[in-house]
Amino acid sequence: MVKLAMSWSREIHKLPLGTRYIGLLPKGCTLCHEGLKLVLFITGLCNRRCWYCPISDLRRGKDVIYANEVRINDIRDIIPHINLMEAKGTGITGGEPLLVFDRVIKVIELLKAEFGEEHHIHLYTNGELLSLNHACALKECGLDELRIHITSELSWKGIKNAINAGLNVGIEIPVIPNNGLNYYTNIIRRAESMGVRFINLNELELSESNYMALRIRGLTPRDDIPYAVKGSEELALSILEWASRNVHNINLHYCPARVKDAIQLKFRLKRVSCKVAKTHEVVDDDGLIVKGILESNINLQTLKGVLSRTIGERNVFVRNGKTIEFNVNYLDKVIDLLNSFPTILRNTRVYIIRVHPITHMIFEKIPVTVKR
Ligand code: SF4
């Protein structure tokens, strides 16, 4: 677990993988860093069309719901996903969640009733549609953090309504190199004067859907991280440097693109994998499930018995007559054994596979060469 600052100061604190912050880290971010937040994509509908929007074409403009990466149809289906990863909170995102406002309220009420008040919920919105009534309803049902992505002057009106309703309000914006330092320092000064509690600066990300729009504006990928935009991190660090001399009581946080991938996602997957892994499956450092697999064009029933006696029944799983999974830690023993069954060996391929614990998608299938 990372050690965090306990009191406010203008010092720039550093966390692994390039995260920087001034003041205190928002609670939603702390939980996210530990992989303890479920990501709830509540709708792909949006009232804006930001050129840098990273949402995939599969979701954009469609009224679909995803709990982590899994499509669901009923909001009650969120609960098993939270249990699976033992999440301590939920981040609701979109699209623009306020376009399905009743659904958002129902979700917050459902999760607070099911997991208690302490289940931390934050909501992302561009705030343009946020009336005082909306904000009061969100406050009443127990929303813990509202994060507003500024898209126009209307977003500032939304911020005002949210603050007046007593919500814990932050701003969350991508750092676009072309905007320059002044654009961000003006936002920080204005936010601080209004009583915004925190500002999250996200490294600008490249995705399949925004790639062309970014390239047209002269933005290119970083040499070391192909899904992050060159210059975004440098600008974010200059903003923090400026803030360390100029802010008085607002919290600032720079979140690098690789944190999402390397920390949040990995920890989340690990928690799920450790829960669902069968006795013959191993969880790797990326949180994926790893196992050995024998695929044959003949029946492997004879081999199954011998294999179970050699490496233990709990390390063997028969998927069907022609496919057997085994604990990858016993790979050498399995290969030795195969060598004593020449007919099976001739007709069988050995692989190591890495599988996503929720979607069961195979990320990697590595053929193992068996000396015959
Ligand atoms: S407001 Fe958010 S979801 Fe909507 S288009 Fe802009 S970046 Fe995408």
Side-chain angles (χ1 to χ4, degrees):
M1 192 186 290
V2 285
K3 203 167 174 293
L4 300 173
M6 299 305 285
S7 59
W8 200 91
S9 80
R10 275 192 200 153
E11 186 192 339
I12 301 178
H13 304 283
K14 297 179 181 176
L15 291 179
L17 293 173
T19 293
R20 300 280 183 275
Y21 67 98
I22 290 176
L24 305 170
L25 206 57
K27 179 150 184 214
C29 297
T30 312
L31 291 171
C32 211
H33 262 262
E34 293 173 28
L36 286 168
K37 278 236 154 172
L38 176 112
V39 179
L40 179 64
F41 184 90
I42 197 77
T43 182
L45 302 176
C46 189
N47 57 319
R48 300 288 302 189
R49 284 194 72 82
C50 305
W51 57 266
Y52 48 82
C53 181
I55 292 175
S56 72
D57 293 338
L58 209 66
R59 300 183 184 194
R60 192 200 299 261
K62 301 187 180 82
D63 193 13
V64 287
I65 311 175
Y66 286 82
N68 287 337
E69 296 83 19
V70 181
R71 173 103 185 252
I72 57 169
N73 293 314
D74 183 334
I75 58 167
R76 289 205 63 84
D77 294 339
I78 302 165
I79 292 167
H81 286 281
I82 290 182
N83 286 329
L84 190 62
M85 62 175 283
E86 295 177 353
K88 299 278 180 281
T90 297
I92 305 175
T93 179
E96 175 44 62
L98 297 185
L99 288 175
V100 291
F101 189 69
D102 290 348
R103 190 185 300 163
V104 170
I105 294 288
K106 277 189 195 142
V107 165
I108 298 173
E109 286 172 347
L110 172 74
L111 300 185
K112 291 285 182 183
E114 195 72 28
F115 299 103
E117 278 309 306
E118 60 281 11
H119 186 84
H120 188 275
I121 302 178
H122 69 261
L123 171 69
Y124 296 96
T125 167
N126 61 43
E128 292 191 354
L129 306 170
L130 190 74
S131 66
L132 186 59
N133 283 347
H134 280 129
C136 290
L138 288 169
K139 173 75 183 165
E140 204 156 299
C141 67
L143 179 71
D144 297 286
E145 271 175 21
L146 184 71
R147 300 174 171 204
I148 296 187
H149 163 213
I150 295 170
T151 42
S152 73
E153 197 51 37
L154 284 173
S155 302
W156 289 102
K157 215 169 150 200
I159 291 176
K160 198 164 167 231
N161 287 333
I163 291 173
N164 287 342
L167 284 163
N168 176 7
V169 183
I171 286 175
E172 179 142 343
I173 37 175
V175 180
I176 301 171
N178 307 3
N179 282 347
L181 183 63
N182 282 351
Y183 173 84
Y184 293 96
T185 57
N186 286 339
I187 287 180
I188 294 168
R189 282 192 203 282
R190 187 170 177 182
E192 194 172 30
S193 72
M194 286 173 77
V196 169
R197 304 252 191 99
F198 62 90
I199 297 188
N200 284 346
L201 302 165
N202 293 330
E203 186 173 20
L204 184 59
E205 284 183 49
L206 265 156
S207 70
E208 261 180 38
S209 51
N210 70 10
Y211 183 80
M212 281 314 292
L214 263 61
R215 292 306 302 257
I216 286 167
R217 288 163 178 85
L219 299 168
T220 51
R222 276 173 66 152
D223 298 330
D224 52 345
I225 305 167
Y227 51 86
V229 169
K230 210 179 255 180
S232 178
E233 177 157 278
E234 287 75 3
L235 178 55
L237 297 182
S238 337
I239 298 167
L240 283 182
E241 279 301 328
W242 172 88
S244 70
R245 297 186 304 275
N246 292 285
V247 297
H248 301 286
N249 53 27
I250 194 165
N251 303 302
L252 273 114
H253 166 211
Y254 164 59
C255 185
R258 58 192 177 278
V259 166
K260 211 179 277 173
D261 204 45
I263 301 188
Q264 298 166 2
L265 183 63
K266 193 159 91 175
F267 284 1
R268 178 151 40 93
L269 285 183
K270 260 192 183 170
R271 298 174 76 79
V272 176
S273 287
C274 290
K275 222 166 168 193
V276 300
K278 299 192 182 82
T279 51
H280 70 291
E281 296 173 331
V282 174
V283 179
D284 73 6
D285 281 349
D286 293 326
L288 296 175
I289 287 179
V290 185
K291 52 195 168 186
I293 186 161
L294 302 174
E295 283 179 357
S296 188
N297 45 25
I298 58 171
N299 198 303
L300 293 174
Q301 204 51 42
T302 343
L303 188 70
K304 193 248 160 184
V306 191
L307 202 54
S308 296
R309 282 196 294 283
T310 313
I311 66 173
E313 202 152 346
R314 64 196 313 276
N315 293 311
V316 180
F317 178 80
V318 180
R319 186 145 293 286
N320 58 53
K322 293 180 177 176
T323 311
I324 294 182
E325 296 178 359
F326 62 92
N327 186 326
V328 72
N329 293 328
Y330 294 92
L331 180 64
D332 290 346
K333 281 193 175 178
V334 172
I335 290 173
D336 284 350
L337 193 70
L338 273 177
N339 275 311
S340 25
F341 292 88
T343 314
I344 295 180
L345 182 61
R346 262 199 310 280
N347 290 285
T348 304
R349 296 272 165 273
V350 187
Y351 299 95
I352 295 172
I353 57 171
R354 298 173 74 228
V355 184
H356 192 286
I358 305 170
T359 61
H360 306 294
M361 193 176 120
I362 298 178
F363 270 69
E364 217 176 348
K365 189 169 182 180
I366 309 156
V368 178
T369 314
V370 183
K371 285 204 185 92
R372 292 154 208 261

